[in-house]
Amino acid sequence: MSQNALPGFRDFYPAEMSERNHIVRAWREVARRYAFSEYDGPPLESLDLYTRKSGDEIVSQLYTFEDKGGRLVALRPEMTPTFARMVAARANALRKPVRWFSIPQLFRYERQQKGRLREHFQLNADIVGEADVTADAELLALAVDIMKELGLASSDVRARVSDRRLLQALLLHAGVPEAQLGVAYGAVDRMDREKRGDAEERLAAAGVPADAIRFLFELARPMTADALRAEYGGHPALQAHVALLDRYFAHLEALGVADWVQLDLSIVRGLAYYTGIVFELFDRRGEFRAICGGGRYDSLLDALGGVDEPALGFGMGDVVLGELLRARKLMPAAAPALDYWVAADDEALLPSVMSLAAALRTGGHSVEYALRPQKLGRQLKSAAAAGAVRAVILSATESANGRATVRTLADGSERVVALAQLRATPGGYGVVRGGDGFADVR
């Protein structure tokens, strides 16, 4: 039997599980603050749900098979098709705007590389039913506030934003034929991954004029919203798009995240279904893949589920985010696993040990004790190895007098306290990781 997980899959030992839970807690907490409701769907869906969105070529990237009922099914590679199906099923009954999030495990059979595995967990956050850029700003603010929640700053991460509508208007204004917009989008999207000469040859072969090709590569230069307005705000075909982007940046300022955001017209989001503002989050040192990506996809729900509603959303995976947090030393160490270890110097006291453990657990604490007879020293070594904060030590003499010793394992300090107080204080027995709240009866 192999001792390793399948290629591209991960085992989550307790330490790795603690890191994953740290990220997931931040996702859930910030989504809650933004009034998003959590949903989920099945990890197995009909294959055609994905081919309708991405075409038959997606099949080679999926874990797909025929089930026992003769249906072609696939492990979900993304959440948006499931989300669209669920929203369509209850579209008329849902309060608008819909603000939903999910944290699915996703599966793709593709080549492994840094920051990309064959499975990962991903936060999906979507808004349905609001066409105004207020929703676009709200969505990006949610993504940025997750970075803040995890201890990252604007010096660590930047959000690069663009607008597909503005980009299209700029390319048409520069002379790119409408029939070649797809080729132009592809060249912009691959600017940082492809030699300029190769892209120029492909664009020229597709019939894009030389002046338009030069303009296309100028789009990659840094540009502020003010510079965009000064350069293109006077062109009638571009005025409305520039004004919309101005409003978007004003909303980001009001939401307190504008200093994280950079206008970058080379952000295309290669997926064809995006229709408006798009964004990606990157670490500023350029060490990792995109942390997060998304944008507006006003036509997709209609195509997938027959629901004609404006929509936007993003996906944020745990793999790159975890790598970034570890690189910046922001991944916290696992919290102590145990609040208390209950020990005794006489195996005849086992019923008392178990009874006290039950009482402490009822109070909300995590508690362990030795399941077989052991000398007291061995029990205390086990308590330290388990990461217990405190040990409660029962001795034959003290127990008969209704007392126990509470030892703080980090410094060895001890207090003798009343067993009745340990058992009866409701819901916490003091602050476990601060003062213990016990009255000293020594």
Side-chain angles (χ1 to χ4, degrees):
M1 182 180 67
S2 172
Q3 298 298 310
N4 300 317
L6 289 170
F9 287 75
R10 296 169 290 175
D11 292 317
F12 290 92
Y13 289 91
E16 289 80 15
M17 194 68 199
S18 177
E19 292 182 350
R20 188 178 109 196
N21 286 341
H22 175 66
I23 292 172
V24 169
R25 274 193 296 269
W27 285 346
R28 284 201 169 101
E29 171 57 23
V30 179
R32 180 194 65 80
R33 293 180 206 159
Y34 277 71
F36 278 65
S37 299
E38 188 167 7
Y39 75 100
D40 200 1
L44 200 65
E45 292 272 20
S46 295
L47 178 60
D48 72 336
L49 190 65
Y50 305 113
T51 55
R52 273 185 296 168
K53 173 175 175 283
S54 304
D56 290 336
E57 61 273 12
I58 191 73
V59 175
S60 65
Q61 301 175 30
L62 305 185
Y63 285 90
T64 182
F65 58 94
E66 182 177 311
D67 72 6
K68 293 181 179 180
R71 293 171 287 262
L72 290 176
V73 297
L75 288 174
R76 61 188 176 197
E78 58 176 317
M79 201 63 183
T80 303
T82 296
F83 173 74
R85 178 179 60 73
M86 292 174 65
V87 169
R90 300 188 180 180
N92 294 332
L94 293 174
R95 181 180 71 85
K96 307 295 190 309
V98 172
R99 301 162 76 103
W100 285 5
F101 80 96
S102 185
I103 305 175
Q105 187 176 22
L106 304 177
F107 306 88
R108 282 211 174 195
Y109 192 85
E110 52 189 3
R111 184 171 63 86
Q112 300 173 71
Q113 49 191 297
K114 183 179 178 181
R116 175 170 289 181
L117 301 174
R118 290 177 175 173
E119 59 79 21
H120 69 282
F121 290 85
Q122 179 170 295
L123 169 66
N124 281 75
D126 295 87
I127 299 174
V128 174
E130 180 52 66
D132 195 76
V133 291
T134 50
D136 298 82
E138 180 85 341
L139 191 73
L140 180 53
L142 166 61
V144 168
D145 275 351
I146 289 170
M147 300 298 101
K148 295 179 184 178
E149 181 73 10
L150 289 166
L152 294 160
S154 58
S155 57
D156 299 305
V157 173
R158 62 176 175 173
R160 295 160 58 185
V161 305
S162 182
D163 189 327
R164 293 283 286 261
R165 295 160 298 197
L166 173 62
L167 180 59
Q168 176 174 315
L170 283 168
L171 292 175
L172 292 173
H173 174 73
V176 175
E178 187 167 357
Q180 305 308 324
L181 283 173
V183 177
Y185 288 150
V188 173
D189 189 42
R190 291 190 295 271
M191 273 185 184
D192 59 349
R193 306 188 301 275
E194 184 179 34
K195 293 180 179 178
R196 176 166 177 169
D198 294 342
E200 288 176 336
E201 287 182 12
R202 189 176 63 257
L203 288 163
V208 178
D211 287 346
I213 293 174
R214 282 192 294 273
F215 174 81
L216 187 148
F217 282 93
E218 290 176 4
L219 290 175
R221 74 186 192 277
M223 181 180 290
T224 65
D226 289 340
L228 178 75
R229 188 186 319 108
E231 190 164 352
Y232 300 110
H235 294 277
L238 303 175
Q239 283 178 339
H241 301 298
V242 173
L244 194 69
L245 209 55
D246 270 344
R247 287 186 55 228
Y248 174 65
F249 276 94
H251 296 327
L252 294 175
E253 183 72 39
L255 289 166
V257 299
D259 59 327
W260 292 68
V261 182
Q262 173 188 334
L263 178 63
D264 187 340
L265 296 177
S266 70
I267 296 297
V268 175
R269 298 292 296 153
L271 301 174
Y273 57 77
Y274 285 113
T275 59
I277 289 174
V278 290
F279 65 88
E280 292 181 350
L281 268 59
F282 290 90
D283 72 288
R284 284 190 175 268
R285 297 181 192 176
E287 297 174 349
F288 304 101
R289 302 174 65 87
I291 303 164
C292 168
R296 182 168 285 278
Y297 53 88
D298 284 341
S299 304
L300 185 62
L301 293 187
D302 191 21
L304 287 179
V307 176
D308 188 13
E309 289 279 359
L312 59 158
F314 70 75
M316 181 185 296
D318 71 314
V319 178
V320 174
L321 188 51
E323 289 179 347
L324 176 60
L325 293 175
R326 285 187 287 272
R328 301 295 181 270
K329 301 188 185 309
L330 291 172
M331 191 69 83
L338 284 177
D339 295 329
Y340 291 101
W341 183 289
V342 183
D345 64 1
D346 187 336
E347 63 183 81
L349 292 173
L350 180 60
S352 298
V353 167
M354 298 173 79
S355 177
L356 179 57
L360 289 167
R361 287 166 176 165
T362 299
H365 298 294
S366 56
V367 185
E368 190 175 346
Y369 57 89
L371 297 177
R372 63 173 63 184
Q374 294 178 356
K375 292 185 180 299
L376 180 60
R378 176 68 180 276
Q379 294 175 64
L380 295 176
K381 285 182 179 179
S382 296
V389 177
R390 292 186 173 88
V392 180
I393 304 169
L394 304 181
S395 69
T397 302
E398 285 185 339
S399 294
N401 294 321
R403 299 185 301 186
T405 297
V406 177
R407 178 183 296 179
T408 301
L409 295 181
D411 59 15
S413 61
E414 294 184 347
R415 303 184 73 183
V416 178
V417 303
L419 276 170
Q421 185 184 11
L422 278 167
R423 293 176 177 279
T425 305
Y429 310 99
V431 180
V432 171
R433 291 182 175 85
D436 58 24
F438 300 137
D440 197 334
V441 299
R442 189 185 297 277

